[in-house]
């Protein structure tokens, strides 16, 4: 069955080395990552700015990995559904009548279906973590700019992160080693202070129960767990991302035939209307929240939270019934994941099975603690 994952699948894959740490492994990249001589279309019919080759992709090729193709995404990465006007809605490999999540939909699907060993995606507000959780794989959003976003079509230069998908933590560690040269760790949870984000009303009861059960597992490994509260102004992320997205695509927005789908164009026009005063106020709010985050990490070594509010929604659903009431789908997902992109800290989404489908838990540490974060996750198996 075609799950609408592949944007470009050439007969001849790209291979630059037959030796190296990643010898024998295959990967895919999201179709906003520059790879010569392949096209870059970002799952849109709109004209795009030029994007050079991405150095992280080149490192992986030189480390012996083979690139087998480029994957579809939510149009220009501006959404979490996995919808675009080129291929339509990406389908969940665990249940094709449900969404895959996005925007890195194809990347998550190609790993979940074992068509490749790992994948490169991007995460601006949850675009790695959401599809990873819904498709049942691991997703890693590193510290901001740890993996170079040069040669990646921007959505938001403030919030864009290049990251990875894999079916296990060992693979994420191996790719991390190939990119940065840091040897993998295997760390104990004994004595680790863990804060669990108290968002019970933002997720379904079964997701909260699954998350709490996971926190109990950490306690059995020796961690101390307690609830914490944390607020991010809801408009901060949207103001920054939409304003920066409109700037990236300003040339297309000037054209009579812009080429974007109706929903994407509406969001870009919204971003175009944001004033400099509003944008600068949002950046100031972001800096204030970063100070609050520093306070959290004085209290805790690790933060955890649900990755998604529910199992993958059925195709066509646009809102969720949660303990607090009915919530628009985009808002329900992004408010859980976007704060951590806005703040630039490293996050691993660990898949958690639920009713034959999948959700996830986010595990987070301070800026620059990526190798230690992966090392703690390795202890979890």
């Amino acid at each position: 069955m075609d799950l609408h994952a592949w944007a470009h699948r050439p007969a001849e894959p790209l291979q630059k080395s037959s030796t190296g740490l990643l010898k024998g492994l295959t990967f895919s990249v999201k179709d906003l990552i520059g790879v010569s001589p392949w096209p870059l279309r970002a799952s849109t019919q709109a004209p795009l700015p030029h994007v050079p080759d991405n150095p992280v992709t080149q490192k992986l090729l030189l480390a012996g990995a083979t690139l087998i193709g480029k994957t579809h995404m939510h149009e220009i990465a501006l959404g979490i559904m996995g919808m675009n006007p080129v291929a339509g809605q990406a389908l969940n490999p665990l249940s094709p009548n449900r969404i895959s999540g996005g925007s890195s939909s194809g990347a998550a699907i190609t790993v979940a279906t074992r068509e490749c060993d790992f994948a490169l995606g991007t995460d601006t507000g949850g675009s790695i973590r959401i599809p990873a959780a819904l498709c049942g794989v691991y997703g890693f959003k590193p510290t901001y700019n740890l993996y170079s976003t040069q040669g990646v079509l921007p959505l938001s230069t403030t919030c864009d992160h290049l990251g990875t998908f894999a079916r296990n933590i060992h693979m994420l560690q191996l790719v991390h080693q190939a990119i940065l040269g840091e040897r993998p760790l295997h760390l104990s949870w004994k004595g680790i202070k863990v804060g669990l984000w108290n968002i019970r009303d933002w997720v379904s009861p079964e997701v909260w129960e699954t998350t709490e059960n996971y926190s109990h597992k950490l306690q059995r490994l020796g961690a101390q767990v307690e609830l914490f509260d944390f607020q991010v102004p809801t408009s901060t992320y949207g103001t920054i991302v939409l304003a920066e997205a409109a700037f990236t695509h300003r040339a297309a927005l000037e054209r009579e035939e812009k080429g974007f789908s109706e929903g994407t164009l509406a969001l870009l026009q919204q971003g175009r209307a944001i004033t400099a005063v509003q944008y600068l106020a949002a950046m100031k709010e972001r800096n204030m929240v970063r100070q609050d985050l520093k306070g959290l990490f004085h209290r805790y070594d690790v933060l955890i939270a649900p990755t998604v509010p529910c199992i993958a929604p059925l195709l066509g659903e646009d809102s969720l019934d949660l303990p607090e009431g009915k919530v628009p789908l985009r808002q329900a997902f992004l408010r859980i994941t976007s704060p951590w992109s806005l703040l630039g800290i490293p996050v691993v989404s660990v898949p958690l099975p639920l009713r034959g489908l999948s959700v996830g838990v986010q595990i987070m540490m301070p800026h620059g603690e990526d190798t230690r974060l992966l090392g703690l996750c390795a202890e979890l198996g």
Side-chain angles (χ1 to χ4, degrees), residues 40-255:
L40 187 154
R41 300 191 180 97
S43 297
T44 187
Q45 294 164 346
L48 300 170
H50 171 70
V51 178
D53 281 357
N54 171 246
V56 173
T57 303
Q58 298 305 311
K59 273 190 176 182
L60 298 172
L61 289 167
L62 292 172
T66 299
L67 179 57
I68 63 171
K70 300 186 82 175
T71 53
H72 271 306
M73 49 191 274
H74 197 107
E75 185 178 20
I76 67 165
L78 191 54
I80 53 91
M81 298 285 288
M83 171 66 79
N84 67 70
V86 179
Q89 173 67 58
L91 306 178
N92 194 304
L94 301 177
S95 179
N97 63 336
R98 297 176 181 272
I99 68 167
S100 62
S103 62
S104 305
S105 47
I109 292 167
T110 58
V111 171
T113 55
R114 297 181 174 268
E115 293 174 83
C116 55
D117 296 299
F118 66 93
L120 284 186
T122 62
D123 190 311
T124 304
S127 288
I128 286 174
R129 290 161 287 156
I130 291 168
L134 297 183
C135 293
V137 299
Y138 287 80
F140 176 43
K141 182 195 79 64
T143 294
Y144 177 74
N145 215 29
L146 187 67
Y147 294 0
S148 174
T149 53
Q150 179 186 349
V152 176
L153 177 70
L155 180 66
S156 162
T157 52
T158 298
C159 297
D160 288 347
H161 299 67
L162 185 66
T164 49
F165 295 86
R167 290 184 294 277
N168 56 64
I169 282 291
H170 170 70
M171 185 63 68
L172 291 181
Q173 288 184 300
L174 197 64
V175 175
H176 185 70
Q177 183 180 0
I179 295 170
L180 295 183
E182 297 182 8
R183 294 184 65 83
L185 301 174
H186 196 106
L187 302 176
S188 170
W189 284 84
K190 188 173 183 180
I192 296 291
K193 296 177 182 176
V194 176
L196 168 57
W197 194 15
N198 188 12
I199 54 170
R200 181 191 298 265
D201 289 344
W202 285 8
V203 300
S204 68
E206 62 182 1
V207 165
W208 186 253
E209 181 182 5
T210 301
T211 307
E212 281 195 316
N213 289 341
Y214 197 83
S215 74
H216 298 156
K217 177 179 179 179
L218 300 183
Q219 288 175 316
R220 291 192 294 272
L221 291 171
Q224 306 164 33
V225 181
E226 66 179 43
L227 293 172
F228 74 90
D229 294 309
F230 186 64
Q231 297 294 326
V232 178
T234 53
S235 64
T236 306
Y237 168 82
T239 298
I240 293 170
V241 170
L242 292 182
E244 292 180 351
F247 180 78
T248 294
H249 295 282
R250 62 195 181 279
L253 292 173
E254 293 291 341
R255 293 163 50 104

Side-chain angles (χ1 to χ4, degrees), residues 30 38 41 140 151 173 222 349 377:
K30 186 176 182 178
W38 293 354
R41 300 191 180 97
F140 176 43
Q173 288 184 300
S349 178
C377 291

Side-chain angles (χ1 to χ4, degrees), residues 339-360:
W340 319 113
S341 291
L342 186 69
L343 300 170
I345 61 172
V347 189
V348 172
S349 178
V350 176
L352 302 176
L354 182 59
R355 288 200 284 130
L357 297 168
S358 176
V359 292

Side-chain angles (χ1 to χ4, degrees), residues 10-33:
E12 292 295 324
L14 284 181
Q15 187 174 19
K16 290 198 172 181
S17 174
S18 58
T19 62
L21 188 66
L22 305 181
K23 177 185 176 182
L25 299 179
T26 59
F27 71 112
S28 67
V29 300
K30 186 176 182 178
D31 192 23
L32 46 54
I33 297 170

